[in-house]
Amino acid sequence: HLVAFMSTIEGIFVAPEASAPLTSLTRASVVKGRGIEGDRYFSHQGTYSCLRVSKQHPGEREPGRQLTIIAGDSVRAALKNNGLKLSSLGDLRRNVVLGGVSADELLNAMGHLIRLGSKCQVLVHRHCVPCMYNERKNGFPAGSMEGIWKEAGVSCEVLESGDIAVGDSFQILPETRQFDDGEQPPGFYSPPSQRSAVIVKEGLVRQRQAKQYLLTIDPEGVARAEASYNSVGLKFWPAASK
C-alpha cells in the first residue's frame, strides 16, 4: 500500500498553444476538469488534444490529458546518465515538477489522489510516455528519449480546483480511484526499441482509422497535431495504406 508523504513543487510550466515554448510560473490556478489556466491543454489546443481514446468513456478525451507531473530529481539524474542537457526541465513539456519524490513513486501512484498545495487534487491516470516529437524539439539524438522513459512523468485529471505555487507541499494520498489509461495503440507503453514489426504495423492501422474518425469531429485538431510534428521534421499521421 502506498503511504502518504510530503514533497514540494519545484516548478510550474504552461504553453498557450501546441508546440509553443513553455513558460515558467511561480503560481497558477488549476481548474477542475480542465487543467492549468493558460495552458494549451486547458483550452484543448495541445498537440494531442484531438485524440479521443478514453477507456472509461469511449469517444471522449482521456481525462489524464489535463495536467502532467514529473519527478525533478529522477529526470535530472536520467538526463545526466544519458549525456542529455536541457536549459530547463520545462523543455520536457510537463506542467508540474516535483522535488523529493522519485519517478518510480509517481508511476506507482496510478489510481491515487494527489494534493497539490492546500486545495487542488488530481488523479493519476497513466504514465506520460516520452515522444519522438519532444526528442526532436530538444535536439536529442534519435532514440535518446528511451533513456528517460520511466522518468517522463504521469498524466493526471484535476478533481478539485485550487491555486498552486512553487514551494507548495505535494502529497500522494492513500485513497484510490479507478484510473483511465486509455485505449492506446499497441506498444504505446513500451520503448520503441522493444516494439515488434507486428506491433508497429498494428499501431499504424489504428492511427489511420483514428484519423478518419477525428476528421469528422475535430479537423482543426487533426491538422494541429500534424503541424506540431511537421515543425520538427516528423509526421504524426501515417500515410494512407496502398
Side-chain angles (χ1 to χ4, degrees):
H1 297 283
L2 191 67
V3 297
F5 62 91
M6 301 297 292
S7 185
T8 57
I9 297 174
E10 282 189 0
I12 303 168
F13 298 91
V14 298
E17 58 189 22
S19 75
L22 269 75
T23 300
S24 176
L25 304 177
T26 56
R27 59 180 59 253
S29 294
V30 185
V31 179
K32 179 180 179 179
R34 297 291 298 275
I36 300 180
E37 285 188 6
D39 187 60
R40 73 273 195 208
Y41 284 98
F42 179 93
S43 56
H44 297 155
Q45 295 298 307
T47 296
Y48 305 109
S49 290
C50 68
L51 301 179
R52 306 294 203 276
V53 295
S54 171
K55 186 178 291 183
Q56 294 177 3
H57 304 285
E60 296 185 13
R61 293 182 177 90
E62 290 177 84
R65 287 283 182 199
Q66 295 172 13
L67 181 146
T68 50
I69 296 174
I70 199 166
D73 295 338
S74 291
V75 75
R76 278 189 288 267
L79 288 166
K80 182 178 180 180
N81 290 340
N82 287 276
L84 303 174
K85 295 182 179 181
L86 293 173
S87 59
S88 164
L89 289 188
D91 292 339
L92 291 175
R93 308 190 71 77
R94 304 298 188 251
N95 295 124
V96 178
V97 181
L98 304 179
V101 63
S102 72
D104 284 332
E105 286 166 328
L106 279 185
L107 290 176
N108 288 336
M110 282 176 54
H112 282 265
L113 292 176
I114 298 178
R115 184 164 60 236
L116 295 166
S118 61
K119 295 182 179 180
C120 177
Q121 290 193 26
V122 302
L123 174 63
V124 180
H125 280 283
R126 67 170 176 84
H127 181 198
C128 189
V129 298
C131 57
M132 289 181 62
Y133 165 69
N134 223 348
E135 183 178 85
R136 286 281 188 94
K137 202 166 183 65
N138 284 299
F140 289 162
S144 58
M145 290 301 280
E146 290 198 20
I148 60 168
W149 190 262
K150 74 172 184 176
E151 293 84 6
V154 292
S155 298
C156 306
E157 174 187 7
V158 182
L159 298 185
E160 295 293 339
S161 301
D163 293 339
I164 62 173
V166 172
D168 277 355
S169 64
F170 174 96
Q171 189 175 15
I172 297 179
L173 304 173
E175 181 182 351
T176 60
R177 302 273 183 91
Q178 184 177 5
F179 61 86
D180 185 343
D181 56 354
E183 293 289 353
Q184 310 295 352
F188 180 80
Y189 291 110
S190 300
S193 64
Q194 297 178 17
R195 298 171 190 169
S196 68
V198 171
I199 286 177
V200 171
K201 185 176 181 180
E202 289 177 356
L204 293 175
V205 170
R206 284 272 299 274
Q207 271 194 285
R208 292 189 188 103
Q209 293 172 341
K211 180 183 179 182
Q212 295 308 307
Y213 168 67
L214 293 171
L215 280 171
T216 68
I217 62 170
D218 188 6
E220 291 184 2
V222 170
R224 184 172 57 247
E226 186 64 23
S228 292
Y229 270 60
N230 288 172
S231 71
V232 293
L234 296 171
K235 289 185 175 297
F236 183 78
W237 303 106
S241 58
K242 298 180 179 179

